[in-house]
């Protein structure tokens, strides 16, 4: 899951980024509305966390423009405690959820899980189950036939992305964009290496390679 964090308070943004990365999200951070609008048009994003009080463009205007171009991209608004009017306007403009500052990280994580469920529509509570494989997006545990499987951070993130997009082929470029944030080092074959390692831990035919295109987990899989 890749998040664009739009927040001009650097200390808050750093804290949020660290906490979200601890929950295995990939986070790109921008501090202005202008940069946010550029990034939503070019990056592979799953969720936007958008502060309303930005230095250049009002967050509500940013929200409006995001929703005009990317109606299905979930946006979670961060609002100030006293701005009921902002919340109402935000929801009218298509915000998918909001949190009032200051908020508890655990509440943010729960809201994000809810938003990702809404966008993928394949999960019940926090679990995605395909065939014998079960991935829990809350505990980050993966099991096969009821037995826990140990995965690295990137392996988990790759598997989650593929399972959330069941039946939809994911290109290597798109997977790279979803799994790495700006500044991360990526070796040219990193996705292939992670898929190779995942295959050793999962049922053999769980991940299908579409030659020259990418990878997919099919609807009916063993
Ligand atoms: Ca702000």
């Amino acid at each position: 899951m890749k998040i664009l964090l739009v927040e001009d308070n650097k200390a808050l943004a750093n804290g949020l980024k660290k906490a979200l990365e601890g929950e295995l999200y990939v986070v790109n951070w921008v501090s202005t509305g202008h940069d946010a609008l550029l990034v939503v048009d070019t990056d592979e994003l799953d969720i936007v966390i958008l502060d309303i009080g930005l230095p250049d463009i009002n967050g509500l205007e940013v929200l409006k423009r995001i929703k005009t171009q990317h109606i299905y991209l979930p946006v979670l608004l961060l609002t100030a405690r006293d701005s009921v009017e902002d919340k109402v306007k935000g929801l009218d403009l298509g915000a998918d959820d909001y949190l009032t500052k200051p908020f508890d990280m655990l509440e943010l994580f729960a809201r994000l899980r809810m938003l990702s469920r809404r966008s993928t529509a394949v999960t019940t509570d926090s679990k995605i189950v395909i065939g014998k494989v079960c991935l829990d997006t809350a505990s980050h545990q993966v099991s096969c036939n009821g037995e826990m499987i140990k995965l690295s951070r990137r392996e988990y993130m790759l598997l989650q992305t593929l399972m959330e997009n069941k039946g939809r082929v994911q290109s290597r470029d798109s997977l790279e964009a979803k799994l790495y944030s700006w500044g991360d080092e990526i070796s040219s074959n990193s996705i292939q290496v992670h898929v190779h390692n995942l295959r050793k831990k999962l049922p053999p035919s769980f991940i299908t390679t579409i030659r020259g295109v990418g990878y997919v987990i099919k609807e009916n899989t063993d």
Side-chain angles (χ1 to χ4, degrees):
M1 278 275 152
K2 189 169 204 179
I3 292 177
L4 175 66
L5 173 60
V6 190
E7 169 60 67
D8 59 314
N9 179 324
K10 197 175 175 188
L12 178 60
N14 276 330
L16 277 172
K17 188 171 192 295
K18 268 207 184 99
L20 290 166
E21 285 170 350
E23 286 294 299
L24 305 183
Y25 288 102
V26 176
V27 183
N28 278 341
W29 167 51
V30 295
S31 57
T32 65
H34 180 255
D35 286 348
L37 290 171
L38 280 181
V39 174
V40 291
D41 283 341
T42 51
D43 207 349
E44 295 269 350
L45 299 169
D46 296 295
I47 295 174
V48 178
I49 299 177
L50 174 64
D51 180 33
I52 283 192
L54 294 171
D56 56 341
I57 311 172
N58 182 294
L60 289 173
E61 180 61 28
V62 176
L63 168 68
K64 193 169 140 190
R65 294 198 213 165
I66 291 176
K67 285 292 180 178
T68 309
Q69 298 290 323
H70 310 274
I71 189 166
Y72 296 113
L73 179 60
V75 178
L76 185 149
L77 284 184
L78 302 182
T79 69
R81 179 172 288 285
D82 50 358
S83 58
V84 177
E85 203 186 326
D86 278 351
K87 282 175 213 163
V88 173
K89 273 190 200 155
L91 292 170
D92 282 345
L93 288 171
D96 298 85
D97 203 350
Y98 67 83
L99 269 179
T100 303
K101 291 180 181 177
F103 49 83
D104 191 290
M105 287 293 176
L106 291 178
E107 181 166 14
L108 173 64
F109 300 155
R111 302 287 184 96
L112 290 173
R113 283 196 299 273
M114 200 179 70
L115 287 178
S116 61
R117 277 208 292 282
R118 229 185 272 168
S119 67
T120 57
V122 292
T123 60
T124 56
D125 56 62
S126 63
K127 296 189 180 75
I128 310 174
V129 181
I130 302 174
K132 294 167 184 158
V133 180
C134 173
L135 180 144
D136 189 330
T137 58
S139 67
H140 307 131
Q141 286 181 326
V142 176
S143 63
C144 181
N145 275 328
E147 277 188 43
M148 288 297 168
I149 303 174
K150 214 167 144 39
L151 300 181
S152 74
R153 174 188 168 82
R154 300 277 185 211
E155 285 165 11
Y156 172 88
M157 296 195 303
L158 175 59
L159 182 64
Q160 183 182 354
T161 302
L162 289 172
M163 288 179 74
E164 282 169 343
N165 291 285
K166 180 177 73 168
R168 296 195 289 266
V169 179
Q170 305 294 297
S171 73
R172 286 195 193 99
D173 286 350
S174 149
L175 288 170
E176 264 179 17
K178 284 176 182 171
L179 260 60
Y180 294 89
S181 58
W182 303 326
D184 282 343
E185 286 213 12
I186 315 171
S187 64
S188 59
N189 63 348
S190 57
I191 297 294
Q192 279 126 298
V193 171
H194 292 315
V195 169
H196 176 77
N197 290 332
L198 272 177
R199 281 202 171 118
K200 289 194 258 176
K201 304 176 183 181
L202 295 167
S205 58
F206 193 68
I207 299 172
T208 305
T209 302
I210 308 295
R211 199 177 286 270
V213 183
Y215 304 97
V216 66
I217 292 175
K218 293 183 174 164
E219 301 279 337
N220 297 312
T221 182
D222 294 326

